[in-house]
Amino acid sequence: MVERPELKVTVFSDYICPFCYVGHARLMRLGEEWNLRVNWCFIELHPETPVAGQPVAALGYPDAQWSRMQENLQRMAEEDDLPFSDPGFTTNSRRALLLAEAAKSLGRERFYRLHEALYRAYFVAGRNIGDPEVLRGIAASVGVPESLVEAAWREPRYPEHLGHYRELAARVALSGVPTYLFGPRKITGAVPVTRLREAALACANPA
């Protein structure tokens, strides 16, 4: 069996961003060709949103624009055979981001179990991933210890990590999520897998 070459990529994302959900699935398809090493940089998109959640209308999108976005998302999800349902509300993602950041210490397998479970909970099951009890249940279902959940929300190092990601985002002039950094090459949006593959090849074989 031929060993897959390593591919390092930095990704800025948030669990309440539907394009990040689609973009994650597309990036993971590169794992068929490369040994992916992803630096997940979590960016809180709407820190002002209450934990209880609120209607998506509170985000300020005109109805016509929101309808176009949802149609586009449905089309992309269907193309990728990805389950997707508009949850109809937005929520505060901070606790989910802190939990995912802390889960990195458990190793790739359990981190990705949680990472994908958070997306599915919100964009498939329509659960409120801002609710601490919902998050505790998700964490338990994928083998994340309760002690780590509490540490994620209590210890200052995890918010400090999110602060570092905001600083990095400012340095690279982040304009939206998901954003991928393949070496010096920056790609923003849930772009087709072909574009991600082109960037990966350029990173792996610089001129």
Side-chain angles (χ1 to χ4, degrees):
M1 181 176 178
V2 177
E3 185 175 347
R4 292 168 299 163
E6 184 175 277
L7 176 64
K8 293 180 179 180
V9 54
T10 292
V11 183
F12 295 89
S13 65
D14 189 350
Y15 290 112
I16 60 170
C17 168
F19 294 100
C20 293
Y21 172 54
V22 173
H24 161 70
R26 291 181 171 181
L27 178 65
M28 290 300 100
R29 287 175 59 185
L30 296 187
E32 299 167 6
E33 303 162 59
W34 284 276
N35 175 17
L36 284 176
R37 297 291 177 175
V38 185
N39 175 25
W40 293 102
C41 295
F42 299 120
I43 299 293
E44 188 180 4
L45 289 179
H46 296 289
E48 73 284 356
T49 305
V51 168
Q54 60 186 14
V56 292
L59 296 177
Y61 290 102
D63 290 344
Q65 182 182 358
W66 185 258
S67 295
R68 287 195 300 272
M69 284 174 57
Q70 291 306 309
E71 289 172 4
N72 193 26
L73 283 163
Q74 289 286 356
R75 176 185 55 77
M76 289 192 292
E78 289 171 7
E79 288 174 355
D80 289 64
D81 197 23
L82 189 66
F84 172 77
S85 177
D86 176 12
F89 68 95
T90 185
T91 189
N92 189 293
S93 61
R94 185 169 180 81
R95 281 189 176 88
L97 300 179
L98 291 170
L99 177 57
E101 183 64 25
K104 291 177 180 179
S105 66
L106 300 174
R108 292 174 70 181
E109 183 178 351
R110 273 195 286 180
F111 166 77
Y112 276 105
R113 277 192 221 154
L114 176 69
H115 182 70
E116 292 170 0
L118 289 169
Y119 276 130
R120 290 195 305 271
Y122 187 51
F123 290 114
V124 180
R127 302 179 71 192
N128 181 359
I129 60 170
D131 185 326
E133 292 308 311
V134 169
L135 290 171
R136 287 188 179 96
I138 294 170
S141 73
V142 296
V144 174
E146 175 70 16
S147 59
L148 187 67
V149 176
E150 298 306 322
W153 300 337
R154 183 184 66 248
E155 295 183 7
R157 56 179 162 156
Y158 300 115
E160 288 171 2
H161 291 179
L162 299 193
H164 169 71
Y165 298 148
R166 288 194 300 272
E167 292 171 2
L168 179 58
R171 289 202 297 272
V172 302
L174 188 78
S175 60
V177 293
T179 288
Y180 312 87
L181 299 180
F182 293 86
R185 180 173 297 203
K186 180 171 69 174
I187 297 177
T188 298
V191 299
V193 176
T194 51
R195 280 206 51 201
L196 296 176
R197 185 176 290 111
E198 288 169 1
L201 287 167
C203 182
N205 303 287

